[in-house]
Amino acid sequence: MDKHQQQLSLAKSSRQSCNEWIFRDVPSDITIEVNGGTIALHKFPLVSRSGRIRKLVEEHRDSDISRVELMNLPGGAESFELAAKFCYGINFEITPLNVAQLCCVSDYLEMTEEFSKDNLHLHAEQYLESIVYKNLEMCVEVLQQCENLLPHANELNIVSRCIDAVASKACAEQIALSFSRLEYSSSGRLHTIRQAKCEGDWWIEDLSVIRIDLYQRVITAMKCRGVRPESIGASLVNCAQKVLTKKVDLVSTGHQKLVVETIISLLPVERLAVPISFLFELLRNAVMLDCTIACRLDLERRIGSQLDIATLDDLLIPSFRHGCETLFDVDTVYRILVNFSQQDDGEYDMDDVSIFESDSPHSPSQSALLKVSKLVDDYLAEIALDVNLKLSKFIAIAEALPAHVRTIHDGLYRAIDIYLKTHKAILDADKKRLCKLIDFQKVSQEAGAHAALNERLPLQSVVQVLYFEQLRLRNALCCSHTNGNHKPVHHQSWRISGGALSAAMSPRDNYASLRRENRELKLELTRLRMRLNDLEKEHVCMKRDMAKSHSHKFMSSFSKKIAKLRFFRHSSSRGSSSPSRQSYRADSKVIERTCASIE
């Protein structure tokens, strides 16, 4: 109803303006009805220029037609007024704001050279060719006017020609700017002057005013023309910020969903063409607006390929789904981690030696693996505070990365400790599942000291910590007493020293060495499980003995049994010195606490 009233008011204002320039001394003999409004004019000026009106008058010559209705006239009463002025010989200016209307209305009224020389359609086309198509800013203005002239503007190829002109001009400006940055160095070689990444891309702001369907066509044409991915990415970021920062209501929600899906489909394939924070923001909006699954999976894949530059705040995606009890969208982060892990060539046969001799272009670098492992551990520590987080999801996130990625397990230990502290009612069996994720050989001395006195850890984990602390001390003593020509030989020496790889090695050698060590670690873990089974049997026997006698002699027997237990059998350990008194003091505290819990 409001739209109809607006058309009537527009027609009324047009009729009033017509009274100022039509012939007042000659009575009108034809009434033109456009979009519900009427304008009284004269037949002769109209039929001399418009082939459509001439045909209508000739068809009703016998009945002397006095009223003509123009249905679906592009541009409405405003466009018809301009065409009528041209028929009456009234001068007016053609501008980028009305040239599209003139092209469409002249085609509709058949104001072409076929019916009259030097007609309106010719003037409008000449203006487009000689002025508009040579200016990028004017093309954008014409495209904006074409939004209300579809499908006529499409049929006349006004939209496609403007889009081609915009893409060509943007590409030409970038090429010219690239040449302007070239200069000769002192050695006589040509090099490029470093300047702002998107300098000269002033059109980015102008494109944001175009409707999303036309904007999509413009960006697609720019890609085909070879416009820089960084420039296209900057335009997409600007367009998204314009739309997604507006207030959300029932009407705008559908529009925002369309914008997000369109922008995702237009993202450049090149890595780092858009900031990763923008990809996460798109992902949050895609989840919130319930965009298509294909859009969300595409974003997750893109984020996974550059996860090493993400931050913890990026990963903390709130849960937008109804009925979801957790604070954060853990499932989405899990899929992102899977995408990151799939870049790694870990799925290939580990026995293939050629893997270590070549670098895959799709596999992450060693520094990227270390950054992501730390990021995941920080994320685990953050979501561990959620009392509604299920154990299975926590473990899934922790195991999403390959085993060799974490060279230090301090962050993982901290996250698990927070989870145990938050979820106090967790079962002993679940505690064991959690602690199996930690390789206590890869924890630092400080973390090991904390774990040795941590009452939340199961007994098996505490014993592992004590054993590896003793092993670390023994290895340190071996190193101090061995002369320079005979270095201690221990296959786990790099892990015992803190888990950090040697900085002197190249990233590729580090990565290959890490994967070899991972295979050895799997074998050692198998032996560890066997020894843990023996420990459990000893524990049952000790509990039985303790039930019979509550004497202090039990403590000494327990200490002797612990000393006899060995998780690994190595010839190099036979000649090592005994641990320090401080280590025995920590062991005794754990033993006393264990005995007290058994009582």
Side-chain angles (χ1 to χ4, degrees):
M1 187 65 181
D2 294 338
K3 186 177 180 181
H4 182 65
Q5 290 178 349
Q6 186 178 3
Q7 291 175 347
L8 291 178
S9 61
L10 182 60
K12 183 177 180 181
S13 62
S14 299
R15 185 167 61 252
Q16 290 174 351
S17 61
C18 283
N19 292 332
E20 300 175 0
W21 52 264
I22 61 174
F23 304 138
R24 293 189 178 186
D25 54 344
V26 180
S28 60
D29 54 1
I30 190 171
T31 301
I32 306 297
E33 183 178 350
V34 180
N35 295 343
T38 57
I39 304 176
L41 297 172
H42 304 85
K43 289 181 183 179
F44 179 72
L46 297 179
V47 299
S48 63
R49 290 288 190 177
S50 171
R52 188 185 188 97
I53 296 179
R54 182 187 303 181
K55 292 175 183 177
L56 292 173
V57 172
E58 289 177 351
E59 290 175 0
H60 300 82
R61 181 177 297 179
D62 298 336
S63 60
D64 194 16
I65 185 173
S66 60
R67 190 180 186 89
V68 173
E69 183 180 6
L70 301 177
M71 302 289 293
N72 301 322
L73 187 140
E78 183 181 355
S79 297
F80 180 76
E81 182 183 345
L82 293 175
K85 279 186 177 182
F86 184 84
C87 293
Y88 276 80
I90 307 298
N91 292 328
F92 61 89
E93 185 180 3
I94 301 179
T95 67
L97 299 179
N98 63 20
V99 65
Q101 291 181 343
L102 294 176
C103 282
C104 292
V105 74
S106 62
D107 180 75
Y108 178 89
L109 295 175
E110 299 179 20
M111 299 177 68
T112 60
E113 298 302 296
E114 182 181 352
F115 296 97
S116 177
K117 188 178 180 181
D118 202 23
N119 215 337
L120 178 60
H121 192 74
L122 177 64
H123 283 275
E125 283 292 336
Q126 287 178 345
Y127 183 83
L128 284 174
E129 294 291 341
S130 60
I131 297 178
V132 173
Y133 295 149
K134 295 180 179 180
N135 186 289
L136 191 150
E137 193 172 8
M138 286 186 177
C139 286
V140 174
E141 292 180 1
V142 172
L143 281 175
Q144 195 174 3
Q145 298 302 316
C146 287
E147 295 174 5
N148 300 320
L149 298 171
L150 299 176
H152 298 88
N154 262 333
E155 295 171 356
L156 296 176
N157 294 325
I158 300 175
V159 174
S160 59
R161 285 182 289 173
C162 283
I163 289 174
D164 289 340
V166 169
S168 299
K169 293 297 179 185
C171 185
E173 286 188 10
Q174 286 194 350
I175 293 175
L177 186 63
S178 299
F179 278 114
S180 67
R181 293 177 182 176
L182 293 176
E183 67 174 18
Y184 285 95
S185 63
S186 57
S187 60
R189 294 184 177 182
L190 254 150
H191 66 94
T192 304
I193 307 173
R194 290 188 177 182
Q195 294 185 9
K197 182 181 286 187
C198 294
E199 182 184 351
D201 298 336
W202 53 267
W203 45 264
I204 290 176
E205 187 68 26
D206 294 338
L207 289 184
S208 61
V209 302
I210 305 176
R211 203 170 69 183
I212 190 63
D213 54 339
L214 298 180
Y215 176 82
Q216 182 180 18
R217 294 173 61 180
V218 171
I219 296 298
T220 303
M222 284 185 169
K223 286 183 177 181
C224 295
R225 291 281 185 175
V227 175
R228 286 197 306 263
E230 295 84 2
S231 301
I232 292 176
S235 179
L236 294 174
V237 172
N238 184 71
C239 177
Q241 290 174 346
K242 293 265 185 191
V243 177
L244 299 179
T245 53
K246 295 179 180 178
K247 281 188 175 182
V248 179
D249 52 29
L250 293 177
V251 178
S252 61
T253 298
H255 176 63
Q256 288 186 344
K257 179 180 178 181
L258 176 63
V259 170
V260 170
E261 291 178 350
T262 302
I263 289 177
I264 293 173
S265 67
L266 294 173
L267 287 172
V269 296
E270 290 78 6
R271 192 174 184 266
L272 304 179
V274 295
I276 193 170
S277 57
F278 174 66
L279 294 179
F280 274 103
E281 190 63 30
L282 278 180
L283 182 57
R284 288 187 181 92
N285 283 277
V287 174
M288 182 177 62
L289 298 171
D290 195 24
C291 293
T292 61
I293 296 177
C295 290
R296 283 178 277 177
L297 293 178
D298 183 34
L299 280 176
E300 292 168 5
R301 178 184 56 80
R302 291 175 182 272
I303 291 173
S305 67
Q306 47 190 312
L307 189 59
D308 54 299
I309 61 175
T311 63
L312 178 59
D313 290 336
D314 292 331
L315 283 183
L316 296 177
I317 304 173
S319 293
F320 296 104
R321 292 175 297 178
H322 292 290
C324 187
E325 298 178 350
T326 56
L327 297 175
F328 302 108
D329 191 347
V330 180
D331 295 335
T332 298
V333 175
Y334 173 75
R335 290 193 295 270
I336 292 174
L337 292 175
V338 169
N339 279 284
F340 174 80
S341 301
Q342 286 177 349
Q343 299 177 96
D344 187 19
D345 55 355
E347 68 269 10
Y348 297 118
D349 187 8
M350 297 293 291
D351 295 330
D352 187 1
V353 182
S354 62
I355 295 176
F356 303 107
E357 308 302 329
S358 62
D359 287 331
S360 171
H362 302 291
S363 61
S365 63
Q366 181 65 29
S367 61
L369 293 171
L370 294 175
K371 289 178 182 178
V372 173
S373 65
K374 185 180 183 305
L375 177 64
V376 172
D377 290 343
D378 292 340
Y379 179 75
L380 286 170
E382 194 71 27
I383 64 175
L385 295 168
D386 187 356
V387 294
N388 294 321
L389 181 65
K390 295 181 180 179
L391 178 67
S392 58
K393 291 193 175 183
F394 183 89
I395 293 178
I397 295 293
E399 293 180 336
L401 295 180
H404 64 268
V405 171
R406 287 187 182 88
T407 57
I408 300 177
H409 277 219
D410 285 17
L412 181 60
Y413 166 70
R414 172 175 168 266
I416 290 178
D417 186 46
I418 294 174
Y419 188 89
L420 293 175
K421 189 184 300 183
T422 306
H423 302 76
K424 296 180 180 179
I426 187 172
L427 301 175
D428 291 339
D430 293 335
K431 285 185 179 181
K432 293 180 181 179
R433 286 179 61 195
L434 271 176
C435 292
K436 282 182 179 179
L437 298 173
I438 308 173
D439 184 356
F440 287 103
Q441 294 182 197
K442 296 183 180 181
V443 297
S444 65
Q445 189 172 0
E446 294 78 8
H450 183 276
L453 302 175
N454 193 342
E455 298 179 354
R456 289 179 288 272
L457 296 181
L459 174 63
Q460 291 89 336
S461 299
V462 174
V463 174
Q464 288 181 54
V465 173
L466 292 175
Y467 171 76
F468 291 125
E469 284 299 311
Q470 292 175 1
L471 196 61
R472 180 186 284 116
L473 289 173
R474 187 169 57 204
N475 188 74
L477 290 174
C478 286
C479 292
S480 62
H481 288 87
T482 307
N483 54 33
N485 295 329
H486 297 86
K487 296 182 180 180
V489 180
H490 201 289
H491 68 283
Q492 293 167 345
S493 60
W494 68 273
R495 284 196 290 267
I496 295 170
S497 63
L501 293 174
S502 173
M505 298 175 66
S506 66
R508 189 176 75 174
D509 293 338
N510 277 339
Y511 186 52
S513 174
L514 185 62
R515 295 181 61 183
R516 292 190 185 99
E517 293 290 345
N518 185 41
R519 287 187 294 176
E520 296 176 2
L521 178 61
K522 289 180 179 179
L523 296 175
E524 297 296 346
L525 287 176
T526 303
R527 299 189 184 99
L528 176 62
R529 293 190 185 97
M530 296 173 64
R531 284 297 173 183
L532 282 177
N533 291 333
D534 296 339
L535 177 63
E536 289 177 355
K537 295 177 181 178
E538 291 286 343
H539 176 64
V540 173
C541 295
M542 287 186 292
K543 187 175 180 181
R544 196 179 299 124
D545 294 341
M546 192 173 186
K548 296 179 180 179
S549 61
H550 295 277
S551 62
H552 294 284
K553 295 180 179 179
F554 174 75
M555 295 299 302
S556 59
S557 64
F558 181 83
S559 302
K560 292 178 180 179
K561 291 180 179 180
I562 288 294
K564 290 179 180 179
L565 289 175
R566 291 293 181 269
F567 292 88
F568 309 108
R569 300 289 184 178
H570 295 293
S571 59
S572 59
S573 64
R574 295 174 183 174
S576 59
S577 60
S578 60
S580 65
R581 295 180 181 178
Q582 183 179 1
S583 176
Y584 276 125
R585 194 179 302 118
D587 294 350
S588 62
K589 289 182 180 180
V590 177
I591 294 169
E592 290 174 3
R593 191 180 71 243
T594 305
C595 295
S597 63
I598 295 175
E599 291 178 355

